[in-house]
Amino acid sequence: DTSSFYNVVIMSACSPNDTSNKVSLTVNAVPIITTAPVNQTACSGSIVSFNVIASGTGLTYHWRKGNVNLVNGGNISGATTPTLTINPSTILDAALNYNVIIAGTCAPSDTSINVSLTINSAPIITTAPVDQTACSGSSVDFNVIATGNGLTYQWRKGNVNLVNTGNISG
């Protein structure tokens, strides 16, 4: 129905007819999210971005953490754009309920699903291995305690990785 050529012709028993000027009709579209944001997992200190794609007329964006509106400043930017950026991310940014409200010229607004941000921390040795003294032929255990996400361990002798063979295990 969008057009810039609408007009009316007025007729009567007497001539001539009268024709109005041309007028236009613009149809604005309601906001619709076409690509929703997705869950993110990142290491503490890294850059995290949430993205949304929407269609509609006169779109405005407002990112939230739960029901709390986010504002630009500190490590938050893009709070009113299609891309929310958190730089650097910290454990305090972790949440299960990031979302964006998209409003437009026409109501109603569209709100995205809640998405999560999981922040993994770097490994930290909390209890280091200690020196050992042993008699030849006896067993020796080195132990370490660490915190972090998805930890794996690789023991080394100098710069050479040890492997589970012969008298080496663990």
Side-chain angles (χ1 to χ4, degrees):
D1 293 330
T2 298
S3 175
S4 58
F5 299 107
Y6 284 99
N7 65 13
V8 62
V9 176
I10 308 294
M11 299 166 272
S12 74
C14 298
S15 293
N17 297 337
D18 197 6
T19 303
S20 72
N21 59 317
K22 291 180 180 152
V23 294
S24 64
L25 171 63
T26 302
V27 178
N28 294 322
V30 298
I32 297 173
I33 294 173
T34 56
T35 304
V38 296
N39 297 331
Q40 300 288 325
T41 299
C43 293
S44 183
S46 64
I47 299 172
V48 174
S49 292
F50 289 106
N51 299 297
V52 66
I53 298 174
S55 63
T57 306
L59 298 180
T60 61
Y61 302 82
H62 211 109
W63 287 93
R64 305 183 309 169
K65 188 176 179 183
N67 291 324
V68 177
N69 290 334
L70 297 173
V71 294
N72 294 325
N75 66 340
I76 301 290
S77 63
T80 58
T81 71
T83 301
L84 173 69
T85 301
I86 304 170
N87 182 23
S89 60
T90 70
I91 195 69
L92 298 175
D93 298 310
L96 300 173
N97 55 356
Y98 282 91
N99 61 73
V100 62
I101 297 175
I102 303 173
T105 303
C106 299
S109 60
D110 197 3
T111 302
S112 74
I113 59 170
N114 284 331
V115 292
S116 65
L117 173 56
T118 302
I119 300 294
N120 293 325
S121 59
I124 297 172
I125 295 174
T126 57
T127 304
V130 296
D131 293 335
Q132 301 283 329
T133 302
C135 295
S136 180
S138 64
S139 178
V140 174
D141 290 326
F142 289 104
N143 296 297
V144 66
I145 299 175
T147 61
N149 301 92
L151 299 177
T152 61
Y153 299 83
Q154 175 63 62
W155 285 94
R156 303 185 319 169
K157 182 178 180 183
N159 291 327
V160 177
N161 290 344
L162 297 175
V163 294
N164 292 327
T165 59
N167 65 345
I168 304 288
S169 67

